[in-house]
């Protein structure tokens, strides 16, 4: 039992160890193309070709001989070798390992060699980036033209209703050197690019990218890889350029015009020994060219690019392989099919645009006819209304003419009557004013009389006062005389006979004085009472005169106001329309019988007073 259990346990351990050995080890890889980023899980034993084929299958690329996987090593770059394992090469030790999927070799004629659309697109993106990064020199004029093709490839046909000013503000289309060379604003550059862009109408995206590459391949720095070299032992700094045409020697300050060129057709052999390169021309009469490079890694890269470009150069001069012929045939069929589809689409689009234009024209014409019909109906209705209105106006005008003629006759009679009444009223007014003046004169006379009576009363008061003073003095004197004579009378028993007449005279004098005093008081009281009554009557008369004057003035103002109102009413009553303006009644003075009776009653009261 125990032995059987141990056997089962050993079997399970062996199976687990076998599974662990069968699981391959992997590492992460990050591949960056011109328009995407991809991550792959690679086996440790994979070679560079395995990873490269996986990327090409993922992208859908069949023209693989132009591309490679590039990685950065210290201060330079290198291409992944297909025959060696990935991890055995000098790739970065960071995980995931980053590679750039780029064009390693460039065609001589892009229109003939680039077959697939994806190949054209990747070349277009890479060359565009090199131009914008100023790795490829491009003149301002060519930069604007290339930018217009790039815009056509991105946005399609130009539509002024959709592509408003400023739609290129977020796009990088021109090198910074070109932008700094001219003092132009972004709007001015956009206007120049849009002018070219509008002329590319009808060009598809792949055609616009191909036109871009056809212009770019004629630039001097297109497809050239530059390396720093020295010649012989003099340490003269030079630049080596490797491209699809051959090898070129440049001055460091001039990458456009080479000093010396070695085309691939004229090179017999290129030898490499550590840091020394030897170029042997096919013509044995020409001198052998030697140059030196200080870095071993750069020397290997130069040799690798020379071998690859030379192989492609020789391959172009041979008959295409069956695979390439099939790709070209398929690409030709695809292009023909796409061209046919574009033609059909363009024809349908044109027919649709024509139909829309015809529809818009018909709708516009329909709206125009509807507007014309509506206007004609409105004009007809207006004409009918105008005719009815004119007939009504004619009837009204005729009635108004008759009425105005009748009113004119009545107005004439009223005018004559008013003239007579006005004359009577003026005469009555004149008499009333005359009586008013007489009343004013009478009032002035009464005032003068009252003042004179006041003065007389004052004089009488003064005389009365003087009489009272004289009376008082006489009484005083009489008292004094009485006091002096009374003791003498008391001394004698029998008064003598003469005193009796004296007493009589005294009594008569005192009675006379008393009578005089009482008369004077009564007289003064009567005078004072008459004076007060006179003053009250005078004051009352003056108040009545003032009220009469104020009433007369108010009556005058009221009469003037009523005259103006009556003239306005009469003018509006007897005003004639445009057809009968011949008669204009004259303004007249309109009397008021009630007012005349008021005047007469006031004047009667005044005369009575």
């Amino acid at each position: 039992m125990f032995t059987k259990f141990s056997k089962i346990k050993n079997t399970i351990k062996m199976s687990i160890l076998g599974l662990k050995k069968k699981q391959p080890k992997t590492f992460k890889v990050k591949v960056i193309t011109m328009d995407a980023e991809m991550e792959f899980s690679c086996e440790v034993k994979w070679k560079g070709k395995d990873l490269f084929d996986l990327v090409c299958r993922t992208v859908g690329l069949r023209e693989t001989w132009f591309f490679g996987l590039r990685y950065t090593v210290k201060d330079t770059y290198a291409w992944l070798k297909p025959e060696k394992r990935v991890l055995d090469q000098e790739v970065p030790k960071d995980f995931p390992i980053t590679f750039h999927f780029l064009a390693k070799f460039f065609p001589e004629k892009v229109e003939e060699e680039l077959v697939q659309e994806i190949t054209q697109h990747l070349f277009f993106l890479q060359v565009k980036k090199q131009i914008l990064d100023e790795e490829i020199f491009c003149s301002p004029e060519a930069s604007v033209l290339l930018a217009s093709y790039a815009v056509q490839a991105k946005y399609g046909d130009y539509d002024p209703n959709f592509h408003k000013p400023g739609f290129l503000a977020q796009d990088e289309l021109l090198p910074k050197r070109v932008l700094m060379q001219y003092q132009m604003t972004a709007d001015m550059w956009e206007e120049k690019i849009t002018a070219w862009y509008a002329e590319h109408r009808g060009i598809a995206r792949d055609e616009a990218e191909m036109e871009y590459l056809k212009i770019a391949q004629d630039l001097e720095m297109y497809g050239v890889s530059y390396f720093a070299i020295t010649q012989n032992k003099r340490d003269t700094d030079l630049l080596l350029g490797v491209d699809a045409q051959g090898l070129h020697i440049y001055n460091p300050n001039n990458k456009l015009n080479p000093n010396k060129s070695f085309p691939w057709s004229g090179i017999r052999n290129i030898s490499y020994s550590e840091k020394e390169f030897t170029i042997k021309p096919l013509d044995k009469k020409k001198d052998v060219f030697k140059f030196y490079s200080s870095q071993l890694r750069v020397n290997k890269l130069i040799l690798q690019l020379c071998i690859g470009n030379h192989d492609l150069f020789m391959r172009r001069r041979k008959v295409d392989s069956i695979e390439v012929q099939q790709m070209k045939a398929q690409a030709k069929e695809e292009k023909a099919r796409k061209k046919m589809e574009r033609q059909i689409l363009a024809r349908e689009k044109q027919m649709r645009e024509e139909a829309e234009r015809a529809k818009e024209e018909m709708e516009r014409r329909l709206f125009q006819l509807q507007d014309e019909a509506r206007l004609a109906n409105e004009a007809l209705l207006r004409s009918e209304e105008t005719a009815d209105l004119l007939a009504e106006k004619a009837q009204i005008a005729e009635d108004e003419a008759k009425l105005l003629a009748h009113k004119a006759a009545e107005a004439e009679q009223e005018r004559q009557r008013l003239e007579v009444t006005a004359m009577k009223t003026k005469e009555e007014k004149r008499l009333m004013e005359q009586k008013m003046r007489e009343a004013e004169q009478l009032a002035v006379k009464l005032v003068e009389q009252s003042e004179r009576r006041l003065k007389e009363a004052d004089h009488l008061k003064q005389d009365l006062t003087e009489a009272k003073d004289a009376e008082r003095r006489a009484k005083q004197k009489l008292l004094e005389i009485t006091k002096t004579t009374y003791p003498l009378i008391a001394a004698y028993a029998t008064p003598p006979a003469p005193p009796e007449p004296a007493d009589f005279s005294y009594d008569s004098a005192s009675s006379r004085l008393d009578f005089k005093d009482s008369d004077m008081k009564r007289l003064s009281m009567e005078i004072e009472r008459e004076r007060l009554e006179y003053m009250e009557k005078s004051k009352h008369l003056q108040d009545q005169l003032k009220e009469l004057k104020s009433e007369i003035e108010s009556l005058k103002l009221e009469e003037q106001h009523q005259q103006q109102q009556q003239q306005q009413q009469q003018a509006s009553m007897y005003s004639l329309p445009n057809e009968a303006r011949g008669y204009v009644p004259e303004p007249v003075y309109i009397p008021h019988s009630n007012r005349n009776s008021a005047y007469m009653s006031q004047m009667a009261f005044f005369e009575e007073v």
Side-chain angles (χ1 to χ4, degrees), residues 453-466:
R453 291 291 183 88
L454 285 174
K455 289 180 182 180
E456 290 177 358
D458 291 338
H459 288 304
L460 289 173
K461 281 184 179 182
Q462 188 176 2
D463 294 341
L464 180 59
T465 304
E466 290 177 358

Side-chain angles (χ1 to χ4, degrees), residues 465-481 513:
T465 304
E466 290 177 358
K468 285 182 179 182
D469 292 339
E471 182 183 0
R472 189 177 60 256
R473 285 194 302 271
K475 285 181 180 182
Q476 187 70 25
K477 202 172 200 181
L478 182 59
L479 287 173
E480 288 177 358
I481 294 171
L513 287 173

Side-chain angles (χ1 to χ4, degrees), residues 240-243 245-250 260-264 267 270 279 291 302 306:
L240 173 67
V242 183
D243 64 0
Q245 302 290 336
L247 299 175
H248 310 281
I249 309 301
Y250 299 89
K260 190 179 294 187
S261 296
F262 300 95
W264 297 120
I267 297 175
I270 297 175
I279 301 175
F291 59 89
I302 293 172
C306 289

Side-chain angles (χ1 to χ4, degrees), residues 422-437:
M423 292 175 65
K424 292 181 180 180
T425 305
K426 286 180 181 180
E427 184 65 25
E428 291 175 355
K429 185 178 179 181
R430 185 182 61 77
L431 294 173
M432 183 184 65
E433 290 177 353
Q434 183 179 358
K435 288 184 178 182
M436 186 180 68
R437 285 194 298 271

Side-chain angles (χ1 to χ4, degrees), residues 71-136:
Y71 59 91
T72 303
V73 182
K74 295 182 180 180
D75 56 347
T76 183
Y77 65 89
W79 295 92
L80 188 66
K81 296 176 182 178
E83 68 277 1
K84 292 181 66 175
R85 293 174 60 180
V86 176
L87 296 179
D88 292 342
Q89 303 184 41
E90 296 179 339
V91 295
K93 302 302 180 182
D94 300 332
F95 291 98
I97 304 172
T98 302
F99 293 98
H100 291 270
F101 187 76
L102 298 172
K104 185 177 180 180
F105 307 104
F106 288 80
E108 293 182 26
K109 295 181 180 180
V110 293
E111 191 174 9
E112 296 178 1
E113 297 183 44
L114 300 182
V115 179
Q116 281 187 292
E117 186 176 343
I118 182 63
T119 310
Q120 297 177 10
H121 184 62
L122 292 174
F123 266 98
F124 163 74
L125 294 177
Q126 184 170 343
V127 172
K128 177 186 173 184
K129 187 176 184 305
Q130 289 178 340
I131 291 174
L132 294 178
D133 294 342
E134 299 182 10
E135 296 178 8
I136 298 176

Side-chain angles (χ1 to χ4, degrees), residues 294-311:
S294 58
Q295 296 182 7
L296 180 61
R297 190 179 297 106
V298 174
N299 296 339
K300 292 180 180 180
L301 180 59
I302 293 172
L303 183 62
Q304 187 180 1
L305 290 176
C306 289
I307 293 172
N309 279 296
H310 185 267
D311 290 344

Side-chain angles (χ1 to χ4, degrees), residues 364-418:
R364 187 185 62 80
R365 183 62 181 166
L366 178 62
F367 290 151
Q368 185 178 358
L369 291 174
Q370 289 177 353
D371 292 338
E372 290 178 357
R374 180 177 55 80
L375 293 174
N377 289 330
E378 291 178 356
L380 180 61
L381 291 174
R382 284 198 301 271
S383 62
E384 291 177 355
E385 292 175 357
T386 305
D388 296 340
L389 184 62
L390 289 175
E392 185 178 355
K393 282 186 177 181
Q395 184 65 32
I396 292 172
E398 185 178 356
D399 295 340
E400 286 182 352
K402 294 179 180 178
L403 181 62
L404 289 173
H406 180 67
K407 286 185 177 181
E410 291 181 354
E412 182 65 24
Q413 295 177 0
E414 184 67 17
R415 185 182 65 80
Q416 294 175 1
R417 186 180 62 78
L418 290 175

